[in-house]
Amino acid sequence: MHLYNSQKINIYNSLSGEKELFEPIHQGYVGMYVCGPTVYSNVHLGNVRTFMSFDMIFRYFRHLGYKVRFVRNITDAGHLENDADVGEDRIAKKARLEEIEPMEVVQRYTVDFHNILNTFNFLPPSIEPTATGHIIEQIEIIKTIIDKGLAYAVNGSVYFDVLKYNETKQYGILSKRNVEDLIHNTRELDGQSDKKNPQDFALWKKAEPQHIMRWPSPWSDGFPGWHLECTAMSTKYLGEHFDIHGGGMDLKFPHHECEIAQGVACNGETPVNYWMHANMLIMNGKKMAKSTGNYILPNEIFSGDNPHITKAYSPSVARFFMLQAHYRSVLDFTNNGLLASEKGFYRLMDAINMLDELKTATSSTFNISEWKQGCYDAMNDDFNSPMVIANLFEAVKFINQVKDGSASITKDDLELLKKTMHDFTFDILGLVNVTKAAESTTDKLTSAVELLIQLRQEARANKDFALSDKIRDELAAKGIQLNDGKEGTTFSTN
């Protein structure tokens, strides 16, 4: 029998503002869509935290025996600056500044995104569609919305008519905003004069002559609106009505609000049963921002090359740190927090590695079955990872007591403890069993590779290209790939 029959999950639904019992549309199946990155720059840590939360949720559904179709998109067109209907496409702008093709930008940062998530031990989604791969589907949705009288074409662009929609439906149902307040608080912006109302949003934009990324449509050579792509991809792979839609809190309005309006306009009903939003990541009590220097990239955590941290941390320590906060809570990223998490992480790993050494007895002084259900109860309460971790440390305390002889455990209970610790630590939380000794060895190897990179740079500066190439090729033969970029040379392992 599948675990989902006995383990019932309560999910905080942003649509209702309450925790609700999860009831899938189809018994034993979960359809989940999460808004992915716009690939015009290196993925930042706030994004990683959001995707990590949904990786954990994906893992838990699978653990319970659900067959999950997890769709996470790649935005490779249509996302304009300032998340509005004006300005330059973020990817096209990056391509123009670097004098390369937009798809070179997309490729570079999609690879970076995948590398970072792999380093953090993410499971790949079931499907990872791209916006540019679904232009036809987006055009067909626009046609449908126009036919329903809820969109209008003007000067080659197409806009969703929010006020017309709001006559029979509710625009603002997710963010709890009403159109009257939006009208009162909205100023007419330059470049929006084609709209009937400032609240209307673009379904299709006519491309200006200088706009690189463009596709033919019945209205103009142009590109789809940012909100439209997620409606097209989610409904194509999950159906017009599916279980869960997730993303960062910052996407609730206007992005997800517009998705709901588009879905209702096309199909007459809200497309999603449970809307889930992960909260933001701050740093040292302040918003992360490149402009202020209060900022860190994921790779800088692993290398320690950032003024905000005192040392390098392993990906599993960083993952453990982030999962110690509930996904709906603001998380403050600090060096002290990482140091504390590192100590806790190694305590947990040491206890797990000690399990095979424990001696068994005729009785147990700790109720393993009750503790195990406590772990499930925590996950079933809106995926409460901090409470799961607290329960794991209850077991850590008990394991140490058994080790020193002040507690006892039976053989059957020990097997149950081993399995449960493995299930929650590795399968559900997605941590990797790294010991201090192994981490120390890794640090030494990293230092050795960085020394070779320095020697290679000196060889190139001296025009000793034979030595430079030899260092690169010898490292590649050992599975260590050097990556030369504008900001220096980094390395990755195959």
Side-chain angles (χ1 to χ4, degrees):
M1 186 175 76
H2 292 297
L3 280 170
Y4 61 71
N5 290 311
S6 59
Q7 304 297 338
K8 301 299 182 182
I9 304 172
N10 285 283
I11 295 176
Y12 182 86
N13 190 347
S14 298
L15 195 60
S16 66
E18 297 177 349
K19 289 182 186 177
E20 299 176 7
L21 179 66
F22 176 68
E23 296 179 342
I25 296 169
H26 303 289
Q27 179 68 20
Y29 292 81
V30 176
M32 181 169 72
Y33 184 91
V34 173
C35 290
T38 301
V39 282
Y40 70 102
S41 63
N42 296 108
V43 62
H44 65 75
L45 205 58
N47 285 145
V48 170
R49 192 228 173 164
T50 294
F51 300 135
M52 186 179 294
S53 297
F54 288 102
D55 178 67
M56 174 190 67
I57 291 165
F58 177 36
R59 286 170 174 272
Y60 188 57
F61 277 126
R62 290 191 1 155
H63 173 78
L64 293 184
Y66 284 104
K67 185 173 182 179
V68 187
R69 178 172 290 176
F70 174 26
V71 182
R72 187 185 65 214
N73 73 296
I74 295 288
T75 295
D76 57 354
H79 194 169
L80 303 186
E81 295 176 284
N82 305 315
D83 298 346
D85 291 334
V86 294
E88 196 170 359
D89 183 290
R90 297 183 181 202
I91 291 165
K93 180 179 180 179
K94 186 81 169 184
R96 177 176 57 79
L97 292 174
E98 297 199 9
E99 298 181 336
I100 58 177
E101 282 290 325
M103 284 301 119
E104 289 183 76
V105 173
V106 167
Q107 180 70 11
R108 175 191 303 171
Y109 294 113
T110 300
V111 169
D112 170 73
F113 174 66
H114 288 151
N115 285 342
I116 292 298
L117 266 55
N118 288 340
T119 302
F120 276 111
N121 196 36
F122 280 53
L123 296 178
S126 314
I127 303 172
E128 192 173 56
T130 63
T132 56
H134 297 78
I135 299 295
I136 293 172
E137 289 86 349
Q138 293 176 75
I139 289 173
E140 291 304 311
I141 289 174
I142 295 171
K143 290 178 182 178
T144 299
I145 297 175
I146 291 175
D147 290 344
K148 297 286 184 69
L150 294 172
Y152 55 91
V154 54
N155 294 332
S157 294
V158 182
Y159 295 97
F160 189 96
D161 193 332
V162 169
L163 296 189
K164 181 71 173 176
Y165 172 84
N166 204 60
E167 290 175 4
T168 56
K169 305 295 181 181
Q170 183 185 351
Y171 182 79
I173 190 172
L174 178 65
S175 57
K176 310 300 185 283
R177 307 183 189 203
N178 61 63
V179 170
E180 290 73 22
D181 289 341
L182 292 172
I183 292 171
H184 179 72
N185 293 321
T186 303
R187 295 178 298 167
E188 186 70 34
L189 301 175
D190 291 340
Q192 290 189 329
S193 57
D194 284 343
K195 296 182 180 182
K196 290 181 181 179
N197 313 287
Q199 297 74 32
D200 296 348
F201 57 89
L203 299 175
W204 186 266
K205 288 283 287 182
K206 180 181 180 181
E208 299 299 324
Q210 70 273 17
H211 198 97
I212 306 171
M213 305 179 79
R214 59 175 68 219
W215 292 265
S217 80
W219 312 284
S220 66
D221 277 3
F223 53 93
W226 173 42
H227 313 305
L228 187 64
E229 65 180 67
C230 287
T231 295
M233 289 183 279
S234 63
T235 55
K236 175 167 183 175
Y237 298 109
L238 298 175
E240 295 174 356
H241 187 205
F242 57 95
D243 296 303
I244 296 171
H245 193 312
M249 195 76 75
D250 57 318
L251 298 179
K252 188 183 290 187
F253 186 89
H255 186 52
H256 290 162
E257 200 72 74
C258 294
E259 281 192 63
I260 291 176
Q262 290 164 169
V264 172
C266 283
N267 306 311
E269 62 176 346
T270 184
V272 181
N273 282 356
Y274 303 88
W275 285 89
M276 300 180 66
H277 292 93
N279 216 323
M280 67 185 296
L281 180 71
I282 60 175
M283 187 169 178
N284 298 318
K286 300 175 183 177
K287 182 180 178 180
M288 276 199 187
K290 282 185 178 179
S291 57
T292 63
N294 196 52
Y295 190 80
I296 188 168
L297 288 170
N299 273 328
E300 293 172 345
I301 300 172
F302 314 145
S303 68
D305 187 20
N306 186 284
H308 294 290
I309 57 176
T310 56
K311 54 169 291 186
Y313 297 93
S314 76
S316 262
V317 167
R319 182 174 179 119
F320 181 69
F321 167 76
M322 286 191 265
L323 291 176
Q324 283 182 293
H326 191 271
Y327 78 90
R328 286 193 291 114
S329 301
V330 174
L331 174 60
D332 191 3
F333 186 92
T334 66
N335 184 68
N336 286 340
L338 279 168
L339 285 170
S341 290
E342 185 177 53
K343 290 179 182 177
F345 173 78
Y346 287 125
R347 275 187 62 214
L348 177 60
M349 293 303 116
D350 287 346
I352 289 172
N353 293 330
M354 199 186 295
L355 285 168
D356 287 333
E357 303 171 12
L358 296 184
K359 295 179 179 178
T360 57
T362 56
S363 64
S364 296
T365 54
F366 185 66
N367 191 326
I368 302 297
S369 296
E370 187 177 288
W371 165 81
K372 172 186 173 182
Q373 187 55 48
C375 293
Y376 280 106
D377 289 345
M379 283 302 290
N380 293 339
D381 183 17
D382 195 31
F383 311 100
N384 194 333
S385 59
M387 187 56 67
V388 170
I389 291 170
N391 285 350
L392 291 175
F393 276 99
E394 277 189 47
V396 168
K397 181 180 178 182
F398 172 65
I399 290 166
N400 286 318
Q401 289 173 341
V402 174
K403 178 70 173 176
D404 65 25
S406 61
S408 62
I409 188 169
T410 66
K411 182 178 179 181
D412 288 346
D413 275 352
L414 179 57
E415 290 307 309
L416 181 60
L417 178 60
K418 284 181 184 178
K419 184 178 187 312
T420 307
M421 290 290 281
H422 184 279
D423 286 347
F424 280 88
T425 304
F426 305 125
D427 292 350
I428 296 169
L429 295 182
L431 301 175
V432 175
N433 195 341
V434 180
T435 63
K436 278 186 180 179
E439 197 63 32
S440 175
T441 300
T442 300
D443 289 343
K444 291 174 182 176
L445 289 173
T446 298
S447 298
V449 174
E450 287 173 348
L451 176 61
L452 288 170
I453 289 173
Q454 183 179 341
L455 292 173
R456 177 172 174 260
Q457 288 170 338
E458 291 173 2
R460 294 171 79 181
N462 295 328
K463 300 189 184 303
D464 187 352
F465 298 114
L467 177 58
S468 168
D469 291 347
K470 182 178 181 181
I471 292 172
R472 180 198 63 205
D473 295 342
E474 290 289 339
L475 286 173
K478 303 297 182 185
I480 300 170
Q481 186 71 41
L482 298 187
N483 308 300
D484 295 318
K486 288 185 176 180
E487 298 178 0
T489 301
T490 58
F491 74 91
S492 57
T493 56
N494 298 331

